[in-house]
Amino acid sequence: MKEISCKLLVIGAGPGGYISAIRAGQLGIDTVIVEFGKPGGTCLNVGCIPSKALIHAAEEFEKVSHMAGGKSPLGIMIGAPSLDLATTIAWKDGIVSRLNSGVAGLLKKAGVKTVHGWAKFRDGKTVEVQTETGMQVVRAETVVIATGSAPVELPFLPFGGPVISSTEALALSEVPERLAVVGGGYIGLELGIAFAKLGARVTVVEALPRVLAQYDAELTRPVVKRLAELGIEVLVGAKAKGLSTKGDALLVETKDGKNAKIAADRILVTVGRKPVIEDWGLEQIDLDMAGKFIRIDDQCRTSMRGIFAIGDVTGEPMLAHRAMAQGEMVAEIVAGHKRSWDKRCIPAVCFTDPELVTAGPSPEEAKALGGEIKVGLFPFAANGRAMTKMGEDGFVRVVARADNHLVLGIQAVGQGVSELSTAFGLALEMGARLEDIAGTIHAHPTQGEGFQEAALKALGHALHI
Protein backbone atom coordinates (compact mmCIF):
# COMPACT_ATOMS: atom_id res chain seq x y z
CA MET A 1 0.00 0.00 0.00
CA LYS A 2 1.56 3.29 -1.14
CA GLU A 3 1.54 6.30 1.15
CA ILE A 4 2.09 9.97 0.34
CA SER A 5 1.98 13.04 2.55
CA CYS A 6 1.09 16.61 1.66
CA LYS A 7 0.12 19.90 3.24
CA LEU A 8 -3.22 20.17 1.40
CA LEU A 9 -5.50 17.44 0.11
CA VAL A 10 -8.43 18.39 -2.14
CA ILE A 11 -11.12 15.76 -2.64
CA GLY A 12 -12.90 16.38 -5.94
CA ALA A 13 -11.63 18.10 -9.10
CA GLY A 14 -14.77 20.00 -10.01
CA PRO A 15 -14.76 23.80 -10.42
CA GLY A 16 -14.25 24.42 -6.70
CA GLY A 17 -11.73 21.66 -6.15
CA TYR A 18 -9.46 22.26 -9.12
CA ILE A 19 -9.41 26.03 -8.54
CA SER A 20 -8.52 25.47 -4.89
CA ALA A 21 -5.72 23.09 -5.84
CA ILE A 22 -4.34 25.35 -8.59
CA ARG A 23 -4.29 28.41 -6.34
CA ALA A 24 -2.67 26.42 -3.54
CA GLY A 25 0.00 25.19 -5.95
CA GLN A 26 0.63 28.74 -7.12
CA LEU A 27 1.17 29.75 -3.48
CA GLY A 28 3.79 27.04 -3.02
CA ILE A 29 1.63 24.66 -0.99
CA ASP A 30 2.37 20.96 -1.43
CA THR A 31 -1.02 19.86 -2.81
CA VAL A 32 -2.67 16.59 -3.82
CA ILE A 33 -6.05 16.39 -5.55
CA VAL A 34 -8.11 13.19 -5.73
CA GLU A 35 -10.71 12.69 -8.45
CA PHE A 36 -12.57 9.56 -9.51
CA GLY A 37 -13.67 10.84 -12.94
CA LYS A 38 -12.28 13.37 -15.37
CA PRO A 39 -11.14 16.78 -14.13
CA GLY A 40 -13.75 19.50 -14.27
CA GLY A 41 -16.50 17.73 -12.35
CA THR A 42 -20.20 17.89 -13.22
CA CYS A 43 -19.99 21.41 -14.64
CA LEU A 44 -17.39 20.68 -17.29
CA ASN A 45 -18.27 17.08 -18.10
CA VAL A 46 -22.06 16.64 -17.78
CA GLY A 47 -23.43 20.04 -16.79
CA CYS A 48 -22.72 23.67 -17.59
CA ILE A 49 -20.42 23.29 -20.59
CA PRO A 50 -22.06 20.41 -22.51
CA SER A 51 -25.57 21.78 -21.89
CA LYS A 52 -24.58 25.18 -23.29
CA ALA A 53 -23.10 23.45 -26.33
CA LEU A 54 -26.39 21.62 -26.93
CA ILE A 55 -28.37 24.82 -26.33
CA HIS A 56 -26.25 26.68 -28.90
CA ALA A 57 -26.69 23.90 -31.46
CA ALA A 58 -30.45 24.02 -30.88
CA GLU A 59 -30.50 27.79 -31.35
CA GLU A 60 -28.60 27.51 -34.62
CA PHE A 61 -30.90 24.75 -35.88
CA GLU A 62 -33.98 26.78 -35.05
CA LYS A 63 -32.56 29.81 -36.87
CA VAL A 64 -31.98 27.93 -40.12
CA SER A 65 -35.34 26.16 -39.76
CA HIS A 66 -37.06 29.56 -39.81
CA MET A 67 -35.15 30.49 -42.95
CA ALA A 68 -36.47 27.50 -44.85
CA GLY A 69 -39.25 28.34 -47.27
CA GLY A 70 -38.55 32.07 -47.25
CA LYS A 71 -40.04 32.69 -43.81
CA SER A 72 -37.19 34.79 -42.47
CA PRO A 73 -37.77 38.57 -42.23
CA LEU A 74 -34.04 38.93 -42.87
CA GLY A 75 -34.56 37.82 -46.44
CA ILE A 76 -32.36 34.74 -46.05
CA MET A 77 -33.77 31.70 -47.85
CA ILE A 78 -32.46 28.15 -47.61
CA GLY A 79 -33.74 24.63 -48.01
CA ALA A 80 -35.12 22.57 -45.15
CA PRO A 81 -32.29 21.71 -42.70
CA SER A 82 -31.58 18.30 -41.20
CA LEU A 83 -29.84 17.32 -37.99
CA ASP A 84 -27.33 14.60 -37.15
CA LEU A 85 -27.42 14.68 -33.35
CA ALA A 86 -24.60 12.16 -33.06
CA THR A 87 -22.31 14.66 -34.83
CA THR A 88 -23.55 17.43 -32.54
CA ILE A 89 -22.77 15.31 -29.48
CA ALA A 90 -19.31 14.49 -30.87
CA TRP A 91 -18.66 18.23 -31.28
CA LYS A 92 -19.80 18.80 -27.70
CA ASP A 93 -17.56 15.97 -26.47
CA GLY A 94 -14.63 17.56 -28.28
CA ILE A 95 -15.10 20.80 -26.37
CA VAL A 96 -15.32 18.90 -23.08
CA SER A 97 -12.17 16.93 -23.91
CA ARG A 98 -10.21 20.10 -24.68
CA LEU A 99 -11.27 21.64 -21.39
CA ASN A 100 -10.46 18.41 -19.50
CA SER A 101 -6.95 18.54 -20.90
CA GLY A 102 -6.73 22.22 -20.05
CA VAL A 103 -7.62 21.67 -16.40
CA ALA A 104 -5.20 18.74 -16.12
CA GLY A 105 -2.48 20.90 -17.65
CA LEU A 106 -3.15 23.78 -15.24
CA LEU A 107 -2.97 21.43 -12.25
CA LYS A 108 0.35 20.07 -13.48
CA LYS A 109 1.69 23.57 -14.15
CA ALA A 110 0.82 24.57 -10.56
CA GLY A 111 2.73 21.54 -9.24
CA VAL A 112 -0.36 19.71 -7.99
CA LYS A 113 -0.19 15.92 -7.80
CA THR A 114 -3.34 14.24 -9.14
CA VAL A 115 -4.46 10.86 -7.80
CA HIS A 116 -7.18 9.11 -9.81
CA GLY A 117 -9.57 7.16 -7.65
CA TRP A 118 -12.28 7.31 -4.98
CA ALA A 119 -11.24 8.81 -1.63
CA LYS A 120 -12.53 7.50 1.71
CA PHE A 121 -11.69 9.07 5.05
CA ARG A 122 -9.82 6.91 7.51
CA ASP A 123 -9.66 9.87 9.92
CA GLY A 124 -9.58 13.67 9.71
CA LYS A 125 -6.05 13.70 8.29
CA THR A 126 -5.98 10.52 6.22
CA VAL A 127 -7.84 9.10 3.24
CA GLU A 128 -7.59 5.84 1.37
CA VAL A 129 -7.84 6.03 -2.40
CA GLN A 130 -8.67 3.01 -4.51
CA THR A 131 -6.75 3.54 -7.75
CA GLU A 132 -6.34 1.34 -10.83
CA THR A 133 -3.02 0.06 -9.46
CA GLY A 134 -4.18 -0.54 -5.90
CA MET A 135 -4.82 1.23 -2.63
CA GLN A 136 -3.03 4.51 -1.91
CA VAL A 137 -3.05 6.35 1.41
CA VAL A 138 -2.84 10.13 1.45
CA ARG A 139 -2.00 11.99 4.68
CA ALA A 140 -2.55 15.73 4.80
CA GLU A 141 -2.34 18.62 7.26
CA THR A 142 -5.47 20.20 5.76
CA VAL A 143 -8.33 18.74 3.70
CA VAL A 144 -10.80 20.44 1.35
CA ILE A 145 -14.00 18.51 0.61
CA ALA A 146 -15.28 19.43 -2.85
CA THR A 147 -17.31 16.37 -3.79
CA GLY A 148 -20.12 18.29 -5.53
CA SER A 149 -23.66 17.15 -6.21
CA ALA A 150 -25.66 14.63 -8.24
CA PRO A 151 -29.16 14.55 -9.78
CA VAL A 152 -31.99 13.68 -7.40
CA GLU A 153 -33.65 10.36 -8.30
CA LEU A 154 -37.36 9.87 -7.68
CA PRO A 155 -38.16 6.48 -6.08
CA PHE A 156 -41.14 5.97 -8.40
CA LEU A 157 -39.10 7.01 -11.48
CA PRO A 158 -35.67 5.43 -11.02
CA PHE A 159 -33.08 6.24 -13.65
CA GLY A 160 -32.76 3.62 -16.33
CA GLY A 161 -34.41 2.74 -19.65
CA PRO A 162 -36.57 5.63 -20.83
CA VAL A 163 -36.08 7.54 -17.55
CA ILE A 164 -32.98 9.72 -17.77
CA SER A 165 -31.17 12.46 -15.87
CA SER A 166 -29.52 15.49 -17.41
CA THR A 167 -26.34 13.42 -17.77
CA GLU A 168 -27.96 10.94 -20.17
CA ALA A 169 -29.90 13.72 -21.93
CA LEU A 170 -26.60 15.32 -22.93
CA ALA A 171 -25.40 12.08 -24.50
CA LEU A 172 -28.43 11.04 -26.61
CA SER A 173 -27.57 9.98 -30.15
CA GLU A 174 -30.94 11.01 -31.56
CA VAL A 175 -33.66 13.51 -30.70
CA PRO A 176 -36.59 11.82 -28.93
CA GLU A 177 -39.85 12.25 -30.80
CA ARG A 178 -41.69 12.83 -27.49
CA LEU A 179 -39.95 14.11 -24.37
CA ALA A 180 -41.55 14.49 -20.95
CA VAL A 181 -39.68 16.69 -18.49
CA VAL A 182 -40.39 16.22 -14.79
CA GLY A 183 -39.48 19.47 -13.05
CA GLY A 184 -39.91 23.00 -14.37
CA GLY A 185 -36.76 24.50 -12.85
CA TYR A 186 -33.82 25.88 -14.77
CA ILE A 187 -32.28 22.53 -15.75
CA GLY A 188 -35.56 21.09 -17.02
CA LEU A 189 -36.47 24.19 -19.03
CA GLU A 190 -32.98 24.73 -20.44
CA LEU A 191 -32.90 21.19 -21.84
CA GLY A 192 -36.62 21.05 -22.66
CA ILE A 193 -36.38 24.21 -24.78
CA ALA A 194 -33.25 22.91 -26.53
CA PHE A 195 -34.89 19.60 -27.49
CA ALA A 196 -38.07 21.38 -28.60
CA LYS A 197 -35.97 23.48 -30.98
CA LEU A 198 -34.35 20.28 -32.27
CA GLY A 199 -37.78 18.85 -33.12
CA ALA A 200 -39.02 16.99 -30.04
CA ARG A 201 -42.58 17.32 -28.77
CA VAL A 202 -41.98 18.41 -25.18
CA THR A 203 -44.26 18.33 -22.15
CA VAL A 204 -43.13 19.84 -18.83
CA VAL A 205 -44.68 18.60 -15.59
CA GLU A 206 -44.25 20.93 -12.60
CA ALA A 207 -45.77 20.35 -9.15
CA LEU A 208 -45.68 24.04 -8.19
CA PRO A 209 -48.18 26.62 -9.48
CA ARG A 210 -45.68 27.95 -12.04
CA VAL A 211 -42.39 27.06 -13.69
CA LEU A 212 -39.09 28.70 -12.66
CA ALA A 213 -40.63 29.37 -9.26
CA GLN A 214 -37.29 30.53 -7.84
CA TYR A 215 -37.66 33.69 -9.95
CA ASP A 216 -40.39 36.32 -9.67
CA ALA A 217 -43.31 36.06 -12.10
CA GLU A 218 -42.55 39.34 -13.90
CA LEU A 219 -39.06 38.10 -14.78
CA THR A 220 -40.22 34.71 -16.07
CA ARG A 221 -43.19 35.95 -18.12
CA PRO A 222 -41.20 36.22 -21.40
CA VAL A 223 -39.91 32.66 -20.92
CA VAL A 224 -43.44 31.31 -20.38
CA LYS A 225 -44.53 33.11 -23.56
CA ARG A 226 -41.65 31.53 -25.47
CA LEU A 227 -42.54 28.05 -24.21
CA ALA A 228 -45.96 28.42 -25.81
CA GLU A 229 -44.43 29.68 -29.07
CA LEU A 230 -42.21 26.59 -29.21
CA GLY A 231 -45.22 24.31 -28.72
CA ILE A 232 -44.05 23.11 -25.31
CA GLU A 233 -46.99 21.93 -23.20
CA VAL A 234 -46.67 22.97 -19.56
CA LEU A 235 -48.65 21.26 -16.80
CA VAL A 236 -48.36 23.19 -13.53
CA GLY A 237 -49.75 21.97 -10.23
CA ALA A 238 -49.28 18.45 -11.62
CA LYS A 239 -47.47 15.52 -10.02
CA ALA A 240 -45.56 12.78 -11.78
CA LYS A 241 -46.65 9.39 -10.43
CA GLY A 242 -44.56 6.86 -12.29
CA LEU A 243 -43.92 5.03 -15.55
CA SER A 244 -46.63 3.26 -17.51
CA THR A 245 -46.60 -0.54 -17.59
CA LYS A 246 -45.30 -0.53 -21.18
CA GLY A 247 -42.70 2.12 -20.35
CA ASP A 248 -43.95 4.42 -23.10
CA ALA A 249 -45.70 7.07 -21.02
CA LEU A 250 -45.43 9.16 -17.88
CA LEU A 251 -48.27 8.80 -15.38
CA VAL A 252 -49.41 12.16 -14.01
CA GLU A 253 -51.94 13.51 -11.56
CA THR A 254 -53.16 16.86 -12.92
CA LYS A 255 -53.91 19.90 -10.77
CA ASP A 256 -57.62 19.03 -10.73
CA GLY A 257 -56.84 15.59 -9.30
CA LYS A 258 -57.35 13.59 -12.49
CA ASN A 259 -55.03 10.86 -13.74
CA ALA A 260 -53.39 11.31 -17.13
CA LYS A 261 -50.84 9.65 -19.38
CA ILE A 262 -48.20 11.61 -21.27
CA ALA A 263 -46.79 9.58 -24.15
CA ALA A 264 -43.01 9.81 -24.06
CA ASP A 265 -40.00 8.12 -25.62
CA ARG A 266 -37.81 9.64 -22.91
CA ILE A 267 -38.66 10.98 -19.46
CA LEU A 268 -36.15 13.55 -18.23
CA VAL A 269 -36.20 13.94 -14.44
CA THR A 270 -34.86 17.30 -13.26
CA VAL A 271 -36.21 17.80 -9.74
CA GLY A 272 -33.02 19.09 -8.19
CA ARG A 273 -29.57 18.01 -7.09
CA LYS A 274 -28.26 16.49 -3.87
CA PRO A 275 -24.82 16.70 -2.24
CA VAL A 276 -22.47 13.79 -2.81
CA ILE A 277 -21.79 12.76 0.79
CA GLU A 278 -22.14 8.97 0.62
CA ASP A 279 -19.35 6.42 0.32
CA TRP A 280 -16.41 8.64 1.22
CA GLY A 281 -16.28 7.86 4.93
CA LEU A 282 -18.26 10.75 6.38
CA GLU A 283 -19.03 8.63 9.42
CA GLN A 284 -15.32 8.50 10.24
CA ILE A 285 -14.99 12.25 10.75
CA ASP A 286 -18.36 13.25 12.26
CA LEU A 287 -18.92 16.67 10.67
CA ASP A 288 -21.81 18.91 11.70
CA MET A 289 -24.48 19.06 9.01
CA ALA A 290 -26.94 21.73 7.90
CA GLY A 291 -29.76 19.46 6.79
CA LYS A 292 -28.29 17.27 4.06
CA PHE A 293 -25.35 19.62 3.47
CA ILE A 294 -22.04 20.07 5.30
CA ARG A 295 -22.22 23.05 7.64
CA ILE A 296 -19.52 25.69 7.10
CA ASP A 297 -18.67 29.14 8.45
CA ASP A 298 -17.89 32.27 6.42
CA GLN A 299 -14.42 30.90 5.67
CA CYS A 300 -15.69 27.47 4.56
CA ARG A 301 -14.39 25.79 7.72
CA THR A 302 -16.32 22.75 8.89
CA SER A 303 -16.86 21.75 12.52
CA MET A 304 -13.63 19.74 12.44
CA ARG A 305 -10.29 21.51 12.67
CA GLY A 306 -8.27 21.33 9.47
CA ILE A 307 -11.20 20.36 7.23
CA PHE A 308 -12.83 22.80 4.81
CA ALA A 309 -15.79 22.20 2.48
CA ILE A 310 -16.72 24.14 -0.64
CA GLY A 311 -19.22 24.12 -3.48
CA ASP A 312 -22.44 22.14 -3.90
CA VAL A 313 -21.75 19.86 -0.94
CA THR A 314 -22.23 22.92 1.30
CA GLY A 315 -25.66 23.93 -0.06
CA GLU A 316 -27.27 26.65 -2.11
CA PRO A 317 -26.63 28.37 -4.35
CA MET A 318 -25.25 25.38 -6.26
CA LEU A 319 -23.26 27.40 -8.77
CA ALA A 320 -19.85 26.66 -10.25
CA HIS A 321 -18.64 30.24 -9.83
CA ARG A 322 -19.55 30.17 -6.13
CA ALA A 323 -17.48 27.02 -5.71
CA MET A 324 -14.57 28.59 -7.61
CA ALA A 325 -14.57 31.70 -5.42
CA GLN A 326 -14.72 29.56 -2.27
CA GLY A 327 -11.91 27.33 -3.51
CA GLU A 328 -9.61 30.25 -4.21
CA MET A 329 -10.36 31.76 -0.80
CA VAL A 330 -9.65 28.53 1.06
CA ALA A 331 -6.31 28.03 -0.69
CA GLU A 332 -5.24 31.51 0.39
CA ILE A 333 -6.38 30.89 3.97
CA VAL A 334 -4.30 27.70 4.06
CA ALA A 335 -1.36 29.75 2.79
CA GLY A 336 -1.77 32.10 5.74
CA HIS A 337 -3.53 34.98 3.98
CA LYS A 338 -6.35 36.89 5.66
CA ARG A 339 -9.46 36.06 3.65
CA SER A 340 -13.18 35.74 4.32
CA TRP A 341 -16.38 35.10 2.40
CA ASP A 342 -18.17 38.45 2.12
CA LYS A 343 -19.97 38.54 -1.21
CA ARG A 344 -22.77 41.05 -1.70
CA CYS A 345 -24.19 38.90 -4.48
CA ILE A 346 -23.54 35.81 -6.53
CA PRO A 347 -25.04 36.32 -10.00
CA ALA A 348 -27.13 33.44 -11.32
CA VAL A 349 -27.94 32.76 -14.97
CA CYS A 350 -30.69 30.59 -16.43
CA PHE A 351 -29.92 29.72 -20.06
CA THR A 352 -33.50 29.39 -21.22
CA ASP A 353 -34.85 31.26 -24.24
CA PRO A 354 -34.85 34.10 -23.39
CA GLU A 355 -32.09 34.00 -20.80
CA LEU A 356 -32.52 35.11 -17.18
CA VAL A 357 -29.98 36.86 -14.97
CA THR A 358 -30.39 37.71 -11.29
CA ALA A 359 -27.96 39.52 -9.00
CA GLY A 360 -29.24 40.49 -5.59
CA PRO A 361 -32.86 40.66 -4.39
CA SER A 362 -35.96 41.13 -6.55
CA PRO A 363 -38.31 44.05 -5.78
CA GLU A 364 -40.46 41.88 -3.49
CA GLU A 365 -37.43 40.45 -1.71
CA ALA A 366 -35.97 43.95 -1.26
CA LYS A 367 -39.27 45.21 0.20
CA ALA A 368 -39.24 42.33 2.68
CA LEU A 369 -35.85 43.51 3.94
CA GLY A 370 -37.50 46.74 5.07
CA GLY A 371 -37.35 50.32 3.88
CA GLU A 372 -38.63 52.07 0.76
CA ILE A 373 -37.25 51.10 -2.62
CA LYS A 374 -37.08 52.47 -6.15
CA VAL A 375 -37.45 50.21 -9.19
CA GLY A 376 -36.41 51.06 -12.73
CA LEU A 377 -37.34 48.80 -15.65
CA PHE A 378 -36.26 49.28 -19.25
CA PRO A 379 -37.77 47.04 -21.99
CA PHE A 380 -35.64 45.67 -24.80
CA ALA A 381 -38.49 46.62 -27.16
CA ALA A 382 -37.01 50.13 -26.91
CA ASN A 383 -33.40 49.02 -27.43
CA GLY A 384 -31.93 49.34 -30.92
CA ARG A 385 -29.45 46.48 -30.58
CA ALA A 386 -32.17 44.10 -29.38
CA MET A 387 -34.28 45.04 -32.39
CA THR A 388 -31.45 44.31 -34.82
CA LYS A 389 -30.97 40.89 -33.18
CA MET A 390 -34.71 40.11 -33.37
CA GLY A 391 -34.73 39.83 -29.56
CA GLU A 392 -37.11 42.47 -28.30
CA ASP A 393 -38.77 40.43 -25.56
CA GLY A 394 -37.51 41.12 -22.05
CA PHE A 395 -36.08 43.93 -19.97
CA VAL A 396 -33.43 45.08 -17.47
CA ARG A 397 -34.63 45.92 -13.96
CA VAL A 398 -32.77 47.75 -11.20
CA VAL A 399 -33.82 47.74 -7.52
CA ALA A 400 -32.39 50.41 -5.21
CA ARG A 401 -32.96 51.99 -1.82
CA ALA A 402 -35.18 55.04 -2.03
CA ASP A 403 -33.24 57.10 0.52
CA ASN A 404 -29.66 56.91 -0.79
CA HIS A 405 -30.16 55.15 -4.15
CA LEU A 406 -27.82 52.27 -3.25
CA VAL A 407 -28.42 49.50 -5.79
CA LEU A 408 -29.62 46.33 -4.07
CA GLY A 409 -30.52 44.04 -6.97
CA ILE A 410 -30.38 43.84 -10.74
CA GLN A 411 -32.30 41.42 -12.95
CA ALA A 412 -32.70 40.91 -16.68
CA VAL A 413 -34.53 38.65 -19.09
CA GLY A 414 -33.78 38.67 -22.79
CA GLN A 415 -31.71 37.32 -25.61
CA GLY A 416 -28.04 37.05 -24.63
CA VAL A 417 -28.43 38.79 -21.26
CA SER A 418 -26.14 36.23 -19.61
CA GLU A 419 -23.26 38.44 -20.75
CA LEU A 420 -24.61 41.30 -18.62
CA SER A 421 -24.17 39.27 -15.42
CA THR A 422 -20.59 40.49 -14.94
CA ALA A 423 -21.63 44.15 -15.04
CA PHE A 424 -24.48 43.44 -12.61
CA GLY A 425 -22.21 41.64 -10.15
CA LEU A 426 -19.52 44.31 -10.37
CA ALA A 427 -22.01 47.11 -9.69
CA LEU A 428 -23.30 45.40 -6.55
CA GLU A 429 -19.87 44.40 -5.25
CA MET A 430 -18.60 47.97 -5.61
CA GLY A 431 -21.63 49.48 -3.90
CA ALA A 432 -22.92 51.38 -6.93
CA ARG A 433 -25.73 53.88 -6.62
CA LEU A 434 -28.25 54.68 -9.32
CA GLU A 435 -26.29 57.81 -10.21
CA ASP A 436 -23.11 55.74 -10.74
CA ILE A 437 -24.79 53.50 -13.30
CA ALA A 438 -26.71 56.35 -14.96
CA GLY A 439 -23.54 58.43 -15.16
CA THR A 440 -21.43 55.68 -16.73
CA ILE A 441 -21.24 56.02 -20.51
CA HIS A 442 -22.56 52.79 -22.01
CA ALA A 443 -21.54 51.89 -25.56
CA HIS A 444 -24.16 52.29 -28.28
CA PRO A 445 -25.75 50.25 -29.76
CA THR A 446 -25.63 47.50 -27.14
CA GLN A 447 -28.10 45.70 -24.92
CA GLY A 448 -26.02 46.95 -21.99
CA GLU A 449 -27.59 50.36 -22.57
CA GLY A 450 -30.69 48.88 -21.00
CA PHE A 451 -28.79 48.77 -17.70
CA GLN A 452 -28.13 52.52 -17.82
CA GLU A 453 -31.68 53.25 -18.94
CA ALA A 454 -33.14 51.20 -16.08
CA ALA A 455 -31.13 53.28 -13.61
CA LEU A 456 -32.28 56.47 -15.31
CA LYS A 457 -35.88 55.20 -15.10
CA ALA A 458 -35.53 54.65 -11.36
CA LEU A 459 -34.22 58.20 -11.05
CA GLY A 460 -37.27 59.47 -12.90
CA HIS A 461 -35.75 60.58 -16.18
CA ALA A 462 -35.34 57.71 -18.63
CA LEU A 463 -34.30 58.98 -22.06
CA HIS A 464 -35.63 56.32 -24.45
CA ILE A 465 -39.04 55.43 -22.99
Side-chain angles (χ1 to χ4, degrees):
M1 185 180 293
K2 297 180 181 178
E3 291 193 14
I4 56 174
S5 297
C6 60
K7 182 170 183 178
L8 178 65
L9 167 64
V10 181
I11 302 174
Y18 82 71
I19 285 293
S20 191
I22 289 171
R23 184 63 183 132
Q26 291 174 343
L27 292 167
I29 298 171
D30 179 23
T31 304
V32 171
I33 190 166
V34 178
E35 172 57 54
F36 178 74
K38 294 180 180 180
T42 293
C43 178
L44 195 160
N45 293 287
V46 292
C48 316
I49 301 301
S51 67
K52 301 316 163 284
L54 182 66
I55 288 168
H56 176 69
E59 289 172 348
E60 294 298 297
F61 185 73
E62 188 198 24
K63 284 179 184 178
V64 295
S65 296
H66 281 303
M67 294 172 185
K71 297 177 183 178
S72 172
L74 302 178
I76 303 172
M77 293 176 283
I78 61 172
S82 60
L83 176 73
D84 180 356
L85 186 60
T87 299
T88 305
I89 297 301
W91 166 73
K92 176 266 293 182
D93 290 342
I95 293 172
V96 171
S97 179
R98 285 166 55 198
L99 290 171
N100 285 144
S101 299
V103 171
L106 290 169
L107 288 167
K108 185 176 181 180
K109 180 181 177 182
V112 177
K113 177 177 175 58
T114 300
V115 176
H116 295 284
W118 189 271
K120 282 194 175 184
F121 278 98
R122 179 186 289 178
D123 55 48
K125 302 289 185 183
T126 313
V127 300
E128 296 178 348
V129 184
Q130 183 63 55
T131 70
E132 292 182 354
T133 57
M135 188 68 73
Q136 186 160 12
V137 174
V138 182
R139 303 183 189 279
E141 294 178 25
T142 305
V143 180
V144 176
I145 299 170
T147 49
S149 62
V152 170
E153 185 176 40
L154 294 173
F156 51 86
L157 278 174
F159 295 133
V163 182
I164 60 176
S165 71
S166 56
T167 299
E168 292 78 38
L170 292 167
L172 293 174
S173 58
E174 59 183 29
V175 178
E177 183 179 337
R178 302 161 302 179
L179 174 68
V181 180
V182 180
Y186 73 95
I187 297 175
L189 290 196
E190 283 183 2
L191 294 177
I193 288 172
F195 278 107
K197 289 179 177 180
L198 293 173
R201 295 205 305 274
V202 178
T203 302
V204 176
V205 178
E206 171 57 56
L208 296 175
R210 60 186 184 86
V211 295
L212 296 174
Q214 66 268 51
Y215 302 99
D216 64 89
E218 182 179 45
L219 195 64
T220 60
R221 197 167 292 121
V223 179
V224 174
K225 175 186 172 185
R226 184 69 171 129
L227 293 173
E229 292 173 352
L230 290 168
I232 297 175
E233 184 180 5
V234 179
L235 302 179
V236 294
K239 299 177 182 178
K241 306 297 287 184
L243 191 63
S244 66
T245 305
K246 294 182 179 179
D248 60 352
L250 173 67
L251 304 179
V252 173
E253 181 184 316
T254 63
K255 64 180 179 181
D256 56 6
K258 296 180 179 179
N259 293 323
K261 273 188 179 182
I262 298 172
D265 304 297
R266 299 281 183 174
I267 298 169
L268 172 59
V269 177
T270 58
V271 293
R273 297 184 65 83
K274 61 181 180 180
V276 177
I277 57 173
E278 294 87 11
D279 300 326
W280 47 263
L282 178 65
E283 65 280 359
Q284 300 298 323
I285 52 176
D286 193 28
L287 298 179
D288 286 352
M289 305 296 288
K292 58 185 177 180
F293 301 103
I294 297 175
R295 185 174 66 79
I296 57 172
D297 66 10
D298 63 356
Q299 291 184 313
C300 294
R301 288 186 170 90
T302 69
S303 59
M304 192 167 184
R305 186 187 301 273
I307 298 182
F308 294 80
I310 61 176
D312 288 4
V313 77
T314 64
E316 296 289 351
M318 290 186 175
L319 298 169
H321 42 286
R322 168 181 177 260
M324 289 174 168
Q326 288 178 319
E328 180 186 17
M329 177 190 69
V330 167
E332 294 187 357
I333 289 172
V334 174
H337 296 196
K338 295 185 71 175
R339 285 292 309 274
S340 63
W341 180 256
D342 184 24
K343 295 294 178 186
R344 300 192 80 177
C345 83
I346 302 173
V349 181
C350 179
F351 291 87
T352 45
D353 179 10
E355 295 174 347
L356 297 168
V357 175
T358 60
S362 68
E364 288 303 314
E365 290 168 338
K367 286 177 185 176
L369 295 174
E372 295 295 317
I373 64 169
K374 284 181 175 288
V375 178
L377 185 151
F378 185 80
F380 284 125
N383 178 268
R385 181 58 175 149
M387 292 179 186
T388 63
K389 292 174 64 179
M390 298 173 63
E392 297 181 35
D393 282 343
F395 55 83
V396 180
R397 187 179 65 196
V398 176
V399 184
R401 284 177 51 164
D403 56 356
N404 61 7
H405 296 175
L406 178 70
V407 178
L408 303 173
I410 313 162
Q411 299 86 34
V413 54
Q415 188 183 106
V417 295
S418 57
E419 297 303 325
L420 296 179
S421 60
T422 301
F424 295 173
L426 185 63
L428 292 180
E429 283 291 338
M430 298 191 74
R433 299 177 189 271
L434 291 172
E435 290 82 357
D436 296 319
I437 298 168
T440 299
I441 297 174
H442 288 63
H444 174 78
T446 65
Q447 288 180 261
E449 289 178 276
F451 187 19
Q452 181 185 29
E453 288 280 357
L456 286 167
K457 175 71 173 175
L459 290 169
H461 51 90
L463 297 173
H464 288 90
I465 50 172

